[in-house]
Amino acid sequence: MMMRRGDVPWGRGGGPRTEPPPADDAPAWIGGALPDTWFQGPAEVTIDRDEILIVGRLSPPTLADDASEADRVAAEQGRIAGFRETTRDQRIGIAQQLERRYRRKVSWGVQVGDTRELFTTHSAPVMTRLRQSERQVLDTLVDSGVARSRSEALAWCVALVGQHADTWLRELREAMQSVDELRKRGPAV
């Protein structure tokens, strides 16, 4: 079967969705697959059960001493656009290999100075049941124009919690990693 970018051989078409394989070695695999000339240092790799996000830091453009803030932003955007265009085919090839190996969508982004841009991202649907009081929160956000839909309102709420609970979420993720390490050291069943 010929696969095209965007074709996903797992979880669609009525077939059962199974958990993707572990991706513990994905950052190392990605580090080996990426050309050494692309990024300053190793890429930042973020992995969840649906997506692998690869963000690399590009060297900043050289500017004149009297360059304005607007000049800096424009130069950084130009650097990003140039990188995105010249690496497109190679990034697609790497993404296809990663998607086959780890059964997750692959997204890309770069950072230059203070400018961070994600080229592609994967939006995964999440089903949930909400009680009336919770739906009213979402509807208030929609009715006030903060969000265009309940889905967008829920995403806004999640982002807001993420901003305000960052320290707690980081501690929770670290604790989960410790539990995973203990499980791995336990007896095989």
Side-chain angles (χ1 to χ4, degrees), residues 51-172:
E51 177 181 25
I52 298 172
L53 173 62
I54 304 165
V55 178
R57 182 170 288 281
L58 302 178
S59 61
T62 304
L63 298 171
D65 292 337
D66 61 345
S68 68
E69 179 65 14
D71 291 338
R72 182 194 60 77
V73 170
E76 289 174 356
Q77 290 173 342
R79 175 67 46 96
I80 290 169
F83 174 84
R84 183 176 188 183
E85 187 60 34
T86 60
T87 62
R88 178 173 282 119
D89 291 340
Q90 224 173 338
R91 285 185 294 107
I92 289 171
I94 292 168
Q96 288 172 335
Q97 293 175 55
L98 280 165
E99 288 174 0
R100 279 192 298 273
R101 182 178 175 103
Y102 298 107
R103 294 186 2 219
R104 291 166 171 85
K105 297 304 291 176
V106 176
S107 300
W108 295 91
V110 293
Q111 182 154 350
V112 179
D114 295 332
T115 305
R116 181 180 177 102
E117 184 175 327
L118 302 181
F119 306 152
T120 54
T121 55
H122 175 66
S123 295
V126 178
M127 300 297 290
T128 187
R129 295 180 185 273
L130 299 175
R131 300 201 184 282
Q132 186 179 39
S133 62
E134 296 160 334
R135 292 190 310 268
Q136 287 174 337
V137 170
L138 299 182
D139 291 341
T140 299
L141 293 171
V142 172
D143 294 344
S144 67
V146 171
R148 293 181 300 227
S149 64
R150 282 182 171 176
S151 176
E152 189 176 281
L154 186 56
W156 183 86
C157 291
V158 170
L160 189 64
V161 168
Q163 287 174 354
H164 294 290
D166 193 42
T167 301
W168 180 80
L169 288 170
R170 185 173 38 258
E171 290 172 1
L172 182 60

Side-chain angles (χ1 to χ4, degrees), residues 175-189:
M176 289 169 35
Q177 286 177 333
S178 296
V179 169
D180 286 342
E181 289 301 317
L182 287 171
R183 275 194 200 120
K184 289 176 186 175
R185 293 190 310 213
V189 179

